[in-house]
Amino acid sequence: MRLPWRMLILHTAPVRRASSVPAGVLSFVPACSTTDVHSLELLQDFVSRARRLFVISGAGLSTESGIPDYRSEGVGLYARTDRRPMQHVEFVHSAKSRQRYWARNFVGWPQFSSRQPNSAHKVLQRWEERGKLHWLVTQNVDALHSKAGQKRLTELHGCAHRVMCLGCGAISAREELQTRFVALNPDWRAQAGAVAPDGDVFLEDEQVLHFRVPSCEDCGGILKPAVTFFGDTVNKATVQSVHDRLAESDALLVVGSSLQV
């Protein structure tokens, strides 16, 4: 693999920039730097010289679509609350944790699933169409790259629009599970709090006590979103595929991610 490792370091003061995003969505967009001409030229030169561009995208790319990230100063999940994401071990071993997770996810799903790609997602898709982008790896589980039409794509941490059974491995659509939730909980209501990056909302424990969670229709197993929770590992075959695509590339661009865990 021969990568022309070129580093761009931009030093500008953080300011709130103008945006066409609706005001309600802007609450998740962090203060960011204005783009000076020199920095823009450096980025344009970097991209134009690449022939097989490899892109890694993170949660920061989706904030202008109305999905918050974790670490942005003032507006990220960690800045707004003391809450931390669901841990894999907790989900697998605690029925109460699964009940709480799915209740929150049920309430947040209509909003989360309706989010649409923003201009950044669309630009990356156009780069693919023009043969500039060789492969895109996203840490996001929001399916916005797929909605934008991205084909050369690896969803490294899975996709919240799919559900898997931990017993038999069956994969189903998250929208189908929403219908089952409604049928099992016809009279259940909850006042939603702030939305989280993984699609659920903040609810108090007392609010979820009577929420019913369905099992796999095929084997009766535990249903889990087809995403990699914190503390879990990414499938080895997926990791190897990413390494292979990277080896075929000649430049690497990271967008919307601090590359921290």
Coordinates of all heavy atoms in Angstrom, one line a residue, residues 88-167:
H88 N -22.6 -3.4 25.4 CA -23.0 -4.6 24.9 C -23.3 -5.7 26.0 O -24.4 -6.3 25.9 CB -21.9 -5.2 24.0 CG -22.2 -6.6 23.4 ND1 -23.0 -6.7 22.4 CD2 -21.7 -7.8 23.8 CE1 -23.1 -8.0 22.1 NE2 -22.4 -8.7 22.9
V89 N -22.5 -5.8 27.0 CA -22.7 -6.7 28.0 C -23.9 -6.5 28.8 O -24.7 -7.4 29.1 CB -21.4 -6.7 29.0 CG1 -21.7 -7.6 30.2 CG2 -20.2 -7.2 28.3
E90 N -24.2 -5.2 29.1 CA -25.4 -4.8 29.8 C -26.7 -5.2 29.0 O -27.6 -5.7 29.6 CB -25.4 -3.3 30.0 CG -26.6 -2.8 30.8 CD -26.7 -1.3 31.0 OE1 -25.7 -0.6 30.5 OE2 -27.7 -0.8 31.6
F91 N -26.7 -4.9 27.7 CA -27.8 -5.3 26.9 C -28.1 -6.8 26.8 O -29.2 -7.2 27.0 CB -27.6 -4.8 25.4 CG -28.8 -4.9 24.5 CD1 -29.7 -3.9 24.4 CD2 -29.0 -6.1 23.8 CE1 -30.8 -4.1 23.6 CE2 -30.1 -6.3 23.0 CZ -31.0 -5.2 22.9
V92 N -27.0 -7.5 26.7 CA -27.2 -9.0 26.5 C -27.6 -9.7 27.8 O -28.4 -10.6 27.8 CB -25.8 -9.6 26.1 CG1 -25.9 -11.1 26.1 CG2 -25.5 -9.2 24.6
H93 N -27.1 -9.2 29.0 CA -27.4 -9.9 30.2 C -28.5 -9.3 31.1 O -28.8 -9.9 32.1 CB -26.1 -9.9 31.0 CG -25.0 -10.7 30.4 ND1 -25.1 -12.1 30.3 CD2 -23.8 -10.4 29.8 CE1 -24.0 -12.6 29.7 NE2 -23.2 -11.6 29.3
S94 N -29.0 -8.2 30.7 CA -30.0 -7.5 31.6 C -31.3 -7.3 30.8 O -31.4 -6.5 29.9 CB -29.5 -6.2 32.1 OG -30.5 -5.5 32.8
A95 N -32.4 -8.0 31.2 CA -33.7 -7.8 30.6 C -34.2 -6.4 30.9 O -34.9 -5.8 30.0 CB -34.7 -8.8 31.1
K96 N -34.0 -5.9 32.0 CA -34.4 -4.5 32.4 C -33.7 -3.5 31.5 O -34.3 -2.5 31.1 CB -34.1 -4.2 33.8 CG -35.2 -4.8 34.8 CD -35.0 -4.3 36.2 CE -36.1 -4.8 37.1 NZ -36.0 -4.2 38.5
S97 N -32.4 -3.7 31.2 CA -31.7 -2.8 30.4 C -32.2 -2.8 28.9 O -32.4 -1.8 28.3 CB -30.2 -3.1 30.4 OG -29.6 -2.8 31.6
R98 N -32.6 -4.0 28.5 CA -33.2 -4.1 27.1 C -34.5 -3.5 27.1 O -34.9 -2.8 26.1 CB -33.3 -5.6 26.7 CG -32.0 -6.3 26.5 CD -32.1 -7.6 25.8 NE -32.9 -8.6 26.6 CZ -32.3 -9.4 27.5 NH1 -31.0 -9.4 27.7 NH2 -33.1 -10.3 28.1
Q99 N -35.3 -3.6 28.1 CA -36.6 -3.0 28.2 C -36.5 -1.5 28.1 O -37.2 -0.8 27.3 CB -37.4 -3.4 29.4 CG -38.7 -2.7 29.6 CD -39.3 -2.9 31.0 OE1 -38.6 -2.8 32.0 NE2 -40.6 -3.3 31.1
R100 N -35.5 -0.9 28.9 CA -35.3 0.5 28.9 C -34.8 1.0 27.5 O -35.3 2.0 27.0 CB -34.3 0.9 30.0 CG -34.0 2.4 30.1 CD -33.1 2.7 31.3 NE -31.8 2.2 31.1 CZ -31.3 1.1 31.8 NH1 -32.0 0.5 32.7 NH2 -30.0 0.7 31.6
Y101 N -33.9 0.2 27.0 CA -33.3 0.6 25.7 C -34.4 0.7 24.6 O -34.5 1.7 23.9 CB -32.2 -0.3 25.2 CG -31.7 0.0 23.9 CD1 -30.7 0.9 23.7 CD2 -32.2 -0.6 22.7 CE1 -30.2 1.3 22.4 CE2 -31.8 -0.3 21.5 CZ -30.8 0.7 21.3 OH -30.4 1.0 20.0
W102 N -35.2 -0.4 24.5 CA -36.2 -0.5 23.4 C -37.3 0.5 23.6 O -37.9 1.0 22.6 CB -36.7 -1.9 23.3 CG -35.8 -2.8 22.5 CD1 -35.3 -4.0 23.0 CD2 -35.3 -2.7 21.2 NE1 -34.5 -4.6 22.0 CE2 -34.5 -3.8 20.9 CE3 -35.5 -1.7 20.2 CZ2 -33.9 -3.9 19.6 CZ3 -34.9 -1.8 19.0 CH2 -34.1 -3.0 18.7
A103 N -37.7 0.8 24.9 CA -38.7 1.8 25.1 C -38.3 3.1 24.6 O -39.0 3.9 24.0 CB -39.1 1.8 26.6
R104 N -37.0 3.5 25.0 CA -36.5 4.8 24.5 C -36.4 4.8 23.0 O -36.6 5.8 22.3 CB -35.1 5.0 25.2 CG -35.2 5.2 26.7 CD -33.8 5.3 27.3 NE -33.9 5.7 28.7 CZ -32.8 5.8 29.5 NH1 -31.6 5.5 29.0 NH2 -32.9 6.3 30.7
N105 N -35.9 3.7 22.4 CA -35.8 3.6 21.0 C -37.1 3.7 20.3 O -37.2 4.3 19.2 CB -35.0 2.3 20.6 CG -34.5 2.3 19.2 OD1 -35.2 1.8 18.3 ND2 -33.3 2.8 19.0
F106 N -38.1 3.1 20.8 CA -39.5 3.1 20.3 C -40.0 4.5 20.2 O -40.5 4.9 19.1 CB -40.4 2.3 21.1 CG -41.8 2.4 20.8 CD1 -42.4 1.9 19.7 CD2 -42.7 3.2 21.7 CE1 -43.8 2.1 19.4 CE2 -44.0 3.3 21.4 CZ -44.6 2.8 20.3
V107 N -39.8 5.3 21.2 CA -40.2 6.7 21.2 C -39.4 7.5 20.2 O -40.0 8.4 19.5 CB -40.2 7.3 22.6 CG1 -40.5 8.8 22.6 CG2 -41.1 6.5 23.6
G108 N -38.1 7.3 20.1 CA -37.3 8.1 19.3 C -37.3 7.7 17.8 O -36.9 8.5 17.0
W109 N -37.8 6.5 17.5 CA -37.6 6.0 16.2 C -38.3 6.8 15.1 O -37.7 7.1 14.0 CB -38.2 4.6 16.1 CG -38.1 4.0 14.7 CD1 -39.2 3.7 13.9 CD2 -37.0 3.6 13.9 NE1 -38.8 3.2 12.7 CE2 -37.4 3.2 12.7 CE3 -35.6 3.7 14.2 CZ2 -36.5 2.7 11.7 CZ3 -34.7 3.2 13.2 CH2 -35.2 2.8 12.0
P110 N -39.5 7.3 15.2 CA -40.1 8.1 14.2 C -39.3 9.3 13.8 O -39.2 9.6 12.6 CB -41.5 8.5 14.8 CG -41.8 7.5 15.8 CD -40.5 7.1 16.4
Q111 N -38.7 10.0 14.8 CA -37.9 11.1 14.5 C -36.6 10.7 13.8 O -36.1 11.3 12.8 CB -37.6 11.9 15.7 CG -36.8 13.2 15.5 CD -36.5 13.9 16.8 OE1 -36.3 13.3 17.9 NE2 -36.6 15.2 16.8
F112 N -35.9 9.7 14.4 CA -34.6 9.3 14.0 C -34.6 8.8 12.6 O -33.8 9.1 11.7 CB -34.0 8.2 14.9 CG -32.7 7.7 14.6 CD1 -31.5 8.4 14.8 CD2 -32.6 6.4 14.0 CE1 -30.3 7.9 14.5 CE2 -31.4 5.9 13.6 CZ -30.2 6.6 13.9
S113 N -35.7 7.9 12.3 CA -35.7 7.3 11.0 C -36.1 8.2 9.9 O -35.9 7.9 8.7 CB -36.7 6.1 11.0 OG -38.0 6.6 11.4
S114 N -36.7 9.4 10.2 CA -37.1 10.3 9.2 C -36.0 11.3 8.8 O -36.2 12.0 7.8 CB -38.3 11.1 9.7 OG -37.9 12.0 10.8
R115 N -34.9 11.3 9.4 CA -33.8 12.2 9.1 C -33.3 11.9 7.7 O -33.2 10.7 7.3 CB -32.7 12.1 10.1 CG -33.1 12.6 11.5 CD -33.7 13.9 11.5 NE -34.0 14.5 12.8 CZ -34.8 15.4 13.1 NH1 -35.5 16.0 12.1 NH2 -35.0 15.9 14.3
Q116 N -32.9 12.9 7.0 CA -32.4 12.8 5.6 C -31.0 13.3 5.4 O -30.5 14.1 6.2 CB -33.4 13.7 4.7 CG -34.8 13.2 4.7 CD -34.9 11.8 4.2 OE1 -34.3 11.4 3.2 NE2 -35.7 11.0 4.9
P117 N -30.3 12.8 4.4 CA -28.9 13.2 4.1 C -28.8 14.7 3.9 O -29.7 15.4 3.4 CB -28.6 12.5 2.8 CG -29.6 11.4 2.7 CD -30.8 11.9 3.4
N118 N -27.7 15.3 4.4 CA -27.4 16.7 4.2 C -26.5 16.8 3.0 O -26.1 15.9 2.3 CB -27.0 17.3 5.5 CG -25.7 16.7 6.0 OD1 -24.7 16.6 5.3 ND2 -25.7 16.4 7.3
S119 N -26.0 18.1 2.8 CA -25.2 18.3 1.6 C -23.9 17.6 1.6 O -23.4 17.2 0.6 CB -24.9 19.8 1.5 OG -24.3 20.3 2.7
A120 N -23.3 17.3 2.8 CA -22.1 16.6 2.9 C -22.2 15.1 2.4 O -21.4 14.6 1.7 CB -21.5 16.6 4.4
H121 N -23.3 14.5 2.8 CA -23.6 13.1 2.4 C -23.7 13.1 0.8 O -23.2 12.2 0.2 CB -24.9 12.6 3.0 CG -24.9 12.4 4.5 ND1 -25.4 13.4 5.3 CD2 -24.4 11.4 5.3 CE1 -25.3 13.0 6.6 NE2 -24.7 11.8 6.6
K122 N -24.4 14.1 0.3 CA -24.7 14.1 -1.1 C -23.4 14.4 -1.9 O -23.2 13.8 -3.0 CB -25.7 15.2 -1.4 CG -27.1 14.9 -0.8 CD -28.1 16.0 -1.0 CE -29.4 15.7 -0.3 NZ -30.3 16.9 -0.4
V123 N -22.5 15.2 -1.4 CA -21.2 15.5 -2.1 C -20.4 14.2 -2.1 O -19.8 13.8 -3.2 CB -20.4 16.5 -1.3 CG1 -19.0 16.5 -1.8 CG2 -21.0 17.9 -1.6
L124 N -20.3 13.4 -1.0 CA -19.6 12.2 -1.0 C -20.2 11.2 -2.0 O -19.4 10.4 -2.7 CB -19.6 11.6 0.4 CG -18.8 12.3 1.4 CD1 -19.0 11.8 2.8 CD2 -17.3 12.3 1.1
Q125 N -21.5 11.2 -2.2 CA -22.1 10.3 -3.2 C -21.8 10.7 -4.6 O -21.5 9.9 -5.4 CB -23.6 10.3 -2.9 CG -24.4 9.2 -3.7 CD -24.7 9.6 -5.1 OE1 -24.9 10.8 -5.4 NE2 -24.8 8.6 -6.0
R126 N -21.7 12.0 -4.8 CA -21.3 12.5 -6.2 C -19.9 12.1 -6.5 O -19.5 11.8 -7.6 CB -21.6 14.0 -6.3 CG -23.0 14.4 -6.3 CD -23.2 15.8 -6.9 NE -22.7 16.8 -6.0 CZ -23.3 17.4 -5.0 NH1 -24.6 17.1 -4.8 NH2 -22.8 18.3 -4.3
W127 N -19.0 12.2 -5.4 CA -17.6 11.8 -5.7 C -17.6 10.3 -6.1 O -16.7 10.0 -6.9 CB -16.8 12.0 -4.4 CG -16.5 13.4 -4.1 CD1 -16.8 14.5 -4.8 CD2 -15.8 13.9 -3.0 NE1 -16.3 15.7 -4.2 CE2 -15.7 15.3 -3.1 CE3 -15.2 13.3 -1.8 CZ2 -15.0 16.1 -2.1 CZ3 -14.5 14.1 -0.9 CH2 -14.5 15.5 -1.0
E128 N -18.4 9.5 -5.5 CA -18.4 8.1 -5.9 C -18.9 8.0 -7.4 O -18.3 7.2 -8.1 CB -19.4 7.3 -5.0 CG -19.5 5.8 -5.4 CD -20.5 5.1 -4.5 OE1 -20.3 5.0 -3.3 OE2 -21.5 4.6 -5.1
E129 N -19.9 8.7 -7.7 CA -20.4 8.6 -9.1 C -19.4 9.0 -10.1 O -19.3 8.4 -11.2 CB -21.7 9.6 -9.2 CG -23.0 9.0 -8.7 CD -24.1 9.9 -9.1 OE1 -23.9 11.1 -9.4 OE2 -25.3 9.4 -9.0
R130 N -18.5 10.0 -9.7 CA -17.5 10.5 -10.7 C -16.2 9.7 -10.6 O -15.3 10.0 -11.3 CB -17.2 11.9 -10.3 CG -18.4 12.9 -10.5 CD -18.2 14.2 -9.9 NE -19.3 15.1 -10.0 CZ -19.4 16.3 -9.5 NH1 -18.4 16.8 -8.8 NH2 -20.5 17.0 -9.6
G131 N -16.2 8.6 -9.8 CA -15.0 7.8 -9.7 C -13.9 8.3 -8.9 O -12.8 7.7 -8.8
K132 N -14.2 9.4 -8.1 CA -13.2 9.9 -7.2 C -13.1 9.1 -5.9 O -12.0 8.8 -5.5 CB -13.6 11.4 -6.9 CG -12.7 12.0 -5.8 CD -11.3 12.2 -6.2 CE -11.1 13.2 -7.4 NZ -9.7 13.4 -7.7
L133 N -14.2 8.8 -5.4 CA -14.2 8.1 -4.1 C -14.2 6.6 -4.3 O -15.1 6.0 -4.9 CB -15.5 8.5 -3.3 CG -15.6 8.0 -1.8 CD1 -16.4 9.0 -1.0 CD2 -16.2 6.6 -1.8
H134 N -13.1 5.9 -3.8 CA -13.0 4.5 -4.0 C -13.8 3.7 -2.9 O -14.5 2.8 -3.3 CB -11.5 4.1 -3.8 CG -11.3 2.6 -3.9 ND1 -11.7 1.8 -5.0 CD2 -10.8 1.7 -3.0 CE1 -11.4 0.6 -4.7 NE2 -10.9 0.5 -3.5
W135 N -13.8 4.2 -1.7 CA -14.6 3.5 -0.7 C -14.9 4.4 0.5 O -14.0 5.3 0.8 CB -13.9 2.3 -0.2 CG -14.8 1.2 0.4 CD1 -15.2 1.0 1.7 CD2 -15.6 0.3 -0.4 NE1 -16.1 0.0 1.8 CE2 -16.4 -0.4 0.5 CE3 -15.7 0.0 -1.7 CZ2 -17.3 -1.4 0.1 CZ3 -16.6 -0.9 -2.1 CH2 -17.4 -1.7 -1.2
L136 N -16.0 4.3 1.1 CA -16.4 5.1 2.3 C -16.7 4.1 3.4 O -17.5 3.2 3.3 CB -17.6 5.9 2.0 CG -18.0 7.0 3.0 CD1 -18.7 8.1 2.3 CD2 -18.8 6.5 4.1
V137 N -16.1 4.4 4.6 CA -16.3 3.6 5.8 C -16.9 4.6 6.8 O -16.4 5.7 7.1 CB -15.0 3.0 6.4 CG1 -15.3 2.4 7.8 CG2 -14.4 2.0 5.5
T138 N -18.1 4.3 7.3 CA -18.8 5.2 8.2 C -18.9 4.5 9.6 O -19.2 3.3 9.7 CB -20.2 5.6 7.8 OG1 -20.7 6.6 8.7 CG2 -21.1 4.5 7.6
Q139 N -18.7 5.3 10.6 CA -18.9 4.9 12.0 C -20.4 5.1 12.4 O -20.8 4.6 13.4 CB -18.0 5.7 13.0 CG -16.5 5.6 12.7 CD -15.8 6.7 13.4 OE1 -16.2 7.8 13.6 NE2 -14.6 6.3 13.9
N140 N -21.1 5.7 11.6 CA -22.5 6.1 11.9 C -23.5 4.9 11.6 O -23.2 4.1 10.7 CB -23.0 7.3 11.1 CG -22.1 8.5 11.3 OD1 -21.4 8.6 12.4 ND2 -22.1 9.4 10.4
V141 N -24.6 4.9 12.4 CA -25.6 3.8 12.2 C -26.9 4.4 11.7 O -27.9 3.7 11.8 CB -25.8 3.1 13.6 CG1 -24.5 2.4 14.0 CG2 -26.3 4.0 14.6
D142 N -26.9 5.6 11.2 CA -28.1 6.3 10.8 C -28.6 6.1 9.4 O -29.7 6.6 9.0 CB -28.0 7.8 11.1 CG -26.7 8.4 10.4 OD1 -26.3 7.9 9.3 OD2 -26.1 9.3 11.0
A143 N -27.9 5.3 8.6 CA -28.2 5.0 7.2 C -28.3 6.2 6.3 O -28.8 6.1 5.2 CB -29.6 4.2 7.2
L144 N -27.8 7.3 6.7 CA -27.9 8.5 5.8 C -27.0 8.4 4.6 O -27.4 8.9 3.5 CB -27.5 9.8 6.6 CG -28.5 10.1 7.7 CD1 -28.1 11.5 8.4 CD2 -29.9 10.2 7.2
H145 N -25.9 7.7 4.7 CA -25.1 7.5 3.4 C -25.9 6.6 2.4 O -25.9 6.9 1.2 CB -23.8 6.8 3.8 CG -22.8 7.8 4.4 ND1 -22.3 8.9 3.8 CD2 -22.2 7.7 5.6 CE1 -21.4 9.5 4.5 NE2 -21.3 8.8 5.7
S146 N -26.5 5.6 2.9 CA -27.3 4.7 2.1 C -28.5 5.5 1.5 O -28.8 5.4 0.3 CB -27.9 3.5 2.8 OG -26.8 2.7 3.3
K147 N -29.1 6.3 2.3 CA -30.2 7.2 1.8 C -29.8 8.1 0.7 O -30.5 8.5 -0.2 CB -30.9 8.0 2.9 CG -31.7 7.1 3.9 CD -32.3 8.0 4.9 CE -33.2 7.2 5.9 NZ -33.9 8.1 6.9
A148 N -28.5 8.5 0.8 CA -27.9 9.4 -0.2 C -27.6 8.7 -1.5 O -27.2 9.4 -2.5 CB -26.7 10.2 0.3
G149 N -27.6 7.4 -1.5 CA -27.3 6.6 -2.7 C -25.9 6.0 -2.7 O -25.5 5.5 -3.8
Q150 N -25.2 6.1 -1.6 CA -23.8 5.6 -1.6 C -23.8 4.1 -1.7 O -24.5 3.4 -1.1 CB -23.1 5.9 -0.2 CG -21.6 6.0 -0.3 CD -21.1 7.3 -0.8 OE1 -21.6 8.4 -0.4 NE2 -20.1 7.3 -1.6
K151 N -23.0 3.6 -2.6 CA -22.9 2.1 -2.9 C -21.6 1.5 -2.4 O -21.6 0.4 -1.8 CB -23.1 1.8 -4.4 CG -24.4 2.3 -5.0 CD -25.5 1.5 -4.4 CE -26.8 1.7 -5.1 NZ -27.3 3.1 -5.0
R152 N -20.5 2.2 -2.6 CA -19.2 1.7 -2.2 C -19.0 2.1 -0.7 O -18.3 3.0 -0.3 CB -18.1 2.3 -3.0 CG -18.3 2.0 -4.5 CD -17.2 2.6 -5.4 NE -15.9 1.9 -5.2 CZ -15.6 0.7 -5.7 NH1 -16.4 0.1 -6.6 NH2 -14.4 0.1 -5.5
L153 N -19.7 1.3 0.2 CA -19.9 1.7 1.6 C -19.8 0.6 2.5 O -20.3 -0.5 2.2 CB -21.3 2.4 1.7 CG -21.8 2.7 3.1 CD1 -21.0 3.8 3.7 CD2 -23.3 3.0 3.0
T154 N -19.1 0.8 3.6 CA -19.1 -0.1 4.7 C -19.6 0.6 6.0 O -19.1 1.6 6.4 CB -17.7 -0.7 5.1 OG1 -17.2 -1.4 3.9 CG2 -17.7 -1.6 6.3
E155 N -20.7 0.1 6.6 CA -21.2 0.6 7.8 C -20.5 -0.1 8.9 O -21.0 -1.2 9.4 CB -22.7 0.4 7.9 CG -23.5 1.3 6.8 CD -24.9 0.9 6.7 OE1 -25.3 -0.2 6.7 OE2 -25.7 1.9 6.5
L156 N -19.4 0.4 9.4 CA -18.5 -0.3 10.3 C -19.2 -0.8 11.6 O -18.9 -1.9 12.1 CB -17.3 0.6 10.6 CG -16.2 -0.1 11.4 CD1 -15.5 -1.2 10.6 CD2 -15.1 1.0 11.8
H157 N -20.1 0.1 12.1 CA -20.8 -0.3 13.3 C -22.2 -0.7 13.1 O -23.0 -0.7 14.1 CB -20.7 0.9 14.3 CG -19.3 1.3 14.7 ND1 -19.0 2.6 15.1 CD2 -18.2 0.6 14.8 CE1 -17.7 2.6 15.4 NE2 -17.2 1.4 15.2
G158 N -22.5 -1.1 11.9 CA -23.8 -1.6 11.6 C -24.8 -0.5 11.3 O -24.4 0.6 10.9
C159 N -26.1 -0.9 11.3 CA -27.1 0.1 10.9 C -28.4 -0.1 11.8 O -28.9 -1.2 12.0 CB -27.5 -0.2 9.5 SG -28.8 1.0 8.9
A160 N -28.8 1.0 12.4 CA -30.0 1.0 13.3 C -31.3 0.7 12.6 O -32.3 0.5 13.3 CB -30.0 2.3 14.1
H161 N -31.3 0.7 11.3 CA -32.5 0.4 10.5 C -32.7 -1.1 10.4 O -33.6 -1.5 9.7 CB -32.4 1.1 9.2 CG -32.6 2.6 9.3 ND1 -33.8 3.2 8.8 CD2 -31.8 3.6 9.8 CE1 -33.7 4.5 9.0 NE2 -32.5 4.8 9.6
R162 N -31.8 -1.9 11.0 CA -31.9 -3.3 10.9 C -31.9 -3.9 12.3 O -31.3 -3.3 13.2 CB -30.8 -4.0 10.1 CG -30.8 -3.6 8.6 CD -29.8 -4.4 7.8 NE -28.4 -4.1 8.2 CZ -27.7 -3.1 7.7 NH1 -28.2 -2.4 6.7 NH2 -26.4 -2.9 8.1
V163 N -32.5 -5.0 12.5 CA -32.6 -5.7 13.8 C -32.1 -7.1 13.6 O -32.4 -7.8 12.6 CB -34.1 -5.7 14.4 CG1 -34.1 -6.5 15.7 CG2 -34.5 -4.3 14.6
M164 N -31.4 -7.6 14.6 CA -30.9 -9.0 14.5 C -31.3 -9.8 15.7 O -31.5 -9.2 16.8 CB -29.4 -9.1 14.4 CG -28.6 -8.6 15.6 SD -26.8 -8.7 15.4 CE -26.7 -10.5 15.3
C165 N -31.5 -11.1 15.6 CA -31.8 -12.0 16.7 C -30.5 -12.6 17.2 O -29.7 -13.1 16.4 CB -32.7 -13.1 16.2 SG -33.0 -14.4 17.5
L166 N -30.3 -12.5 18.5 CA -29.0 -13.0 19.1 C -29.1 -14.6 19.2 O -28.1 -15.2 19.4 CB -28.8 -12.5 20.5 CG -28.6 -11.0 20.5 CD1 -28.3 -10.5 22.0 CD2 -27.4 -10.6 19.7
G167 N -30.3 -15.1 18.9 CA -30.4 -16.6 19.0 C -30.1 -17.2 17.6 O -29.2 -18.0 17.5

